[in-house]
Amino acid sequence: QLQLQESGPGLVKPSETLSLTCTVSGGSISSSGYYWGWIRQPPGKGLEWIGNVFYIGSTDYNSSLKSRVTISVDTSKNQFSLKLSSVTAADTAVYYCARWDCGGGSCYPDFWGQGTLVTVSS
Amino acid sequence: QSALTQPRSVSGSPGQSVTISCTGTSSDVGGYNFVSWYQHHPGKAPKFMIYDVTKRPSGVPDRFSGSKSGNTASLTISGLQAEDEADYYCCSYAGRYTYVFGTGTKVTVL
């Protein structure tokens, strides 16, 4: 059974860089037909798509975050990562990693991690 | 990209039907038949419920159905059960390999 697990600091200072890693088990991150991505949910708010990465390293980002986001993949470790720079309190959220199934006409996040809360505070 | 608009909450008694709307624009919901829905019990991983507007992944009960008209997609839960109480989110392709989620709807089973 595919599992995704987020890891990283739960507290980040304002203006610093948020860094999270998603470890994939039960399947290969190099499988064709799948992208891997990050989604977040600020407290009391809805979900927000952050961006996706393909195993060869190509990426797509939310235009509102594009200048601050980097998503990368490490196939040797079956992991992918998120870096969000210059964070503010508005970046406080539960961050989810997810597999995106792109086998049909579009892509859908069909498997999600449990999520990890990241708080931005001094 | 603005979030898709969903009602904050809907409710129904066991056995009844509820419908959740998801309103976007011609650049997302109205422009593509690529809408999906997710069930989220707080503290757990969201669950994939509907894709391509109307299709159900294997294992999802047929009580869950999706539809779309113009810029508004809908999720209907028929024969409401206690375990259906959760938050529900829609998601749409928004062009140029980007995606937008809805604001979320809390379903309460009375």
Side-chain angles (χ1 to χ4, degrees):
Chain A
Q1 174 74 346
L2 186 74
Q3 291 189 332
L4 293 87
Q5 181 65 59
E6 306 89 351
S7 60
L11 181 65
V12 181
K13 290 183 168 55
S15 80
E16 295 189 345
T17 296
L18 178 160
S19 296
L20 295 174
T21 296
C22 183
T23 300
V24 179
S25 57
S28 173
I29 204 168
S30 301
S31 299
S32 61
Y34 299 106
Y35 272 66
W36 305 88
W38 292 92
I39 297 155
R40 70 180 183 178
Q41 182 175 30
K45 296 187 178 182
L47 299 169
E48 180 181 31
W49 174 69
I50 298 172
N52 293 344
V53 64
F54 194 45
Y55 76 95
I56 58 173
S58 55
T59 54
D60 298 298
Y61 297 133
N62 186 324
S63 58
S64 68
L65 298 169
K66 190 171 184 176
S67 63
R68 299 193 292 130
V69 171
T70 302
I71 298 176
S72 58
V73 61
D74 186 337
T75 55
S76 67
K77 295 181 179 179
N78 225 34
Q79 295 176 335
F80 62 103
S81 299
L82 168 70
K83 290 189 185 300
L84 181 65
S85 64
S86 305
V87 297
T88 69
D91 295 309
T92 294
V94 175
Y95 285 77
Y96 297 94
C97 61
R99 184 185 81 169
W100 289 67
D101 182 351
C102 303
S106 185
C107 299
Y108 301 102
D110 62 343
F111 275 96
W112 301 56
Q114 297 268 33
T116 187
L117 174 63
V118 179
T119 302
V120 178
S121 175
S122 55
Chain B
Q1 287 172 331
S2 296
L4 307 176
T5 301
Q6 298 180 230
R8 184 173 291 272
S9 65
V10 299
S11 62
S13 299
Q16 289 186 330
S17 294
V18 295
T19 296
I20 303 166
S21 60
C22 168
T23 301
T25 69
S26 58
S27 296
D28 37 63
V29 175
Y32 309 93
N33 288 321
F34 298 141
V35 175
S36 54
W37 290 89
Y38 302 86
Q39 178 189 66
H40 188 208
H41 290 102
K44 295 190 174 182
K47 182 182 178 181
F48 184 38
M49 303 297 287
I50 295 285
Y51 69 101
D52 287 353
V53 178
T54 62
K55 299 176 183 176
R56 281 187 307 276
S58 60
V60 174
D62 60 7
R63 303 185 291 102
F64 293 86
S65 62
S67 62
K68 192 188 87 166
S69 177
N71 296 337
T72 298
S74 299
L75 174 71
T76 297
I77 309 173
S78 305
L80 200 61
Q81 299 182 4
E83 59 262 34
D84 299 334
E85 185 162 296
D87 297 322
Y88 290 82
Y89 293 90
C90 60
C91 178
S92 175
Y93 180 66
R96 298 188 179 183
Y97 305 104
T98 66
Y99 304 86
V100 60
F101 281 92
T103 51
T105 298
K106 180 176 179 57
V107 170
T108 301
V109 181
L110 301 172

